Amino acid sequence: MTLSILVTGASRGIGAAIAHELAGRGHRVCVHAGRDLQAAEAVREALPGTGHAVAIGDVADPEACRQLVDAATRDLGGIDVLVNNAGIFEAHPVDTVSFEDWQRAWRRTLDVNLVGPANLAWLVARRLLDRPSGPNGGRLISVGSRGAYRGEPATPAYGASKAALHSMTQSLAVALAPHGILAAAVAPGFVETDMGRTVLDGPGGDAVRAQSPFDRVAAPEEVAQAVAWLATDAPLWVSGTVVDANGASYLR
Ligand code: NAI
């Protein structure tokens, strides 16, 4: 069955890899980007299959979220699955940052990484619940982070936002299970993307690679496969799970 899937932040990195993985499995994808429509178009053009769409908009803006869900619904003919992937990762170490920058980083990070995904989850969930055919098969998938479980010193708002995203996933799974809707998340460790390289290319890069017994970090495609499984094939019974995709880096 061909599903219609909205992937946020799909103009590059993990989101682009998720879009490719899902399109390769025969699904229709709306490739969303924050601002860069050209980049989103380029991703869409390279996708296998037909019927894909593009959209832009700041997920921190509730009205933009509403417009995004309207556009994706219109262009894909509905939304069966939401993949909340868009996110930001900003350093704001408590020992050096000013109080103003501390507040700004917390507010922006929570708005983009948590409140935006929460608003999109509401908008998509309510459409699934209102479908004349019933909500069965709907899925809400979020890209969390291993950072939720670690005391990363420079990015406290990031870790807090991802821990809250995991918690929101669990609440949605319970609330929506009676309606046949699955909610789940993937928590990657570091990944070779523009975001990941802000750390990997720095002085701590080798130490980060050494966290995993594979002595490397993930390619975006490896995270995308885990997300695509939850978004399409995983049994309903795994609802509420947060899949660790970190190369066994806890276990070393
Ligand atoms: P990236 O920085 O390469 O791409 C981020 C994407 O999100 C872009 O398409 C960008 O347009 C979009 N985006 C950013 N802010 C936005 C906003 N306000 N509104 C709409 N779109 C916005 O990041 P990457 O590495 O691909 O990360 C994707 C997700 O994976 C994020 O949620 C990130 O937190 C998570 N993650 C990444 C890890 C890594 O090491 N790269 C590790 C663990 C989780």
Side-chain angles (χ1 to χ4, degrees):
M1 179 183 160
T2 300
L3 299 170
S4 296
I5 305 178
L6 169 59
V7 184
T8 67
S11 59
R12 65 183 195 211
I14 296 169
I18 295 169
H20 276 277
E21 182 67 31
L22 291 168
R25 293 176 183 219
H27 303 295
R28 270 190 305 270
V29 178
C30 178
V31 176
H32 160 265
R35 271 192 292 261
D36 194 345
L37 182 60
Q38 250 183 323
E41 289 280 13
V43 171
R44 180 185 61 167
E45 276 165 25
L47 294 182
T50 57
H52 308 301
V54 287
I56 53 168
D58 184 348
V59 298
D61 173 357
E63 192 45 41
C65 290
R66 200 186 286 280
Q67 288 169 8
L68 169 60
V69 171
D70 284 349
T73 303
R74 183 192 62 230
D75 296 344
L76 298 178
I79 300 176
D80 301 301
V81 181
L82 166 68
V83 179
N84 264 322
N85 167 77
I88 55 170
F89 177 77
E90 281 182 13
H92 50 284
V94 65
D95 48 346
T96 57
V97 83
S98 71
F99 189 45
E100 289 69 31
D101 285 347
W102 174 261
Q103 290 174 63
R104 193 202 52 76
W106 271 91
R107 196 161 296 284
R108 181 70 185 159
T109 301
L110 291 177
D111 278 349
V112 175
N113 291 4
L114 178 62
V115 181
N119 286 340
L120 289 167
W122 187 94
L123 290 160
V124 172
R126 295 296 281 261
R127 281 170 189 250
L128 291 170
L129 293 172
D130 289 346
R131 289 210 283 217
S133 58
N136 280 343
R139 295 182 175 215
L140 306 174
I141 311 300
S142 291
V143 179
S145 176
R146 176 173 180 255
Y149 310 120
R150 293 175 55 88
E152 298 290 358
T155 52
Y158 181 80
S161 71
K162 294 298 189 176
L165 190 62
H166 296 174
S167 177
M168 180 188 84
T169 297
Q170 291 163 341
S171 294
L172 290 174
V174 174
L176 297 172
H179 306 285
I181 299 171
L182 175 150
V186 172
F190 277 98
V191 185
E192 286 281 1
T193 64
D194 290 356
M195 179 187 288
R197 280 187 282 271
T198 61
V199 172
L200 296 169
D201 291 351
D206 286 343
V208 167
R209 288 182 187 87
Q211 286 173 352
S212 163
F214 294 103
D215 277 321
R216 63 175 180 85
V217 298
E221 293 73 20
E222 292 171 298
V223 173
Q225 285 164 15
V227 172
W229 177 68
L230 288 174
T232 63
D233 291 337
L236 255 184
W237 205 242
V238 305
S239 192
T241 199
V242 179
V243 171
D244 285 331
N246 61 44
S249 50
Y250 292 121
L251 306 173
R252 189 165 214 185

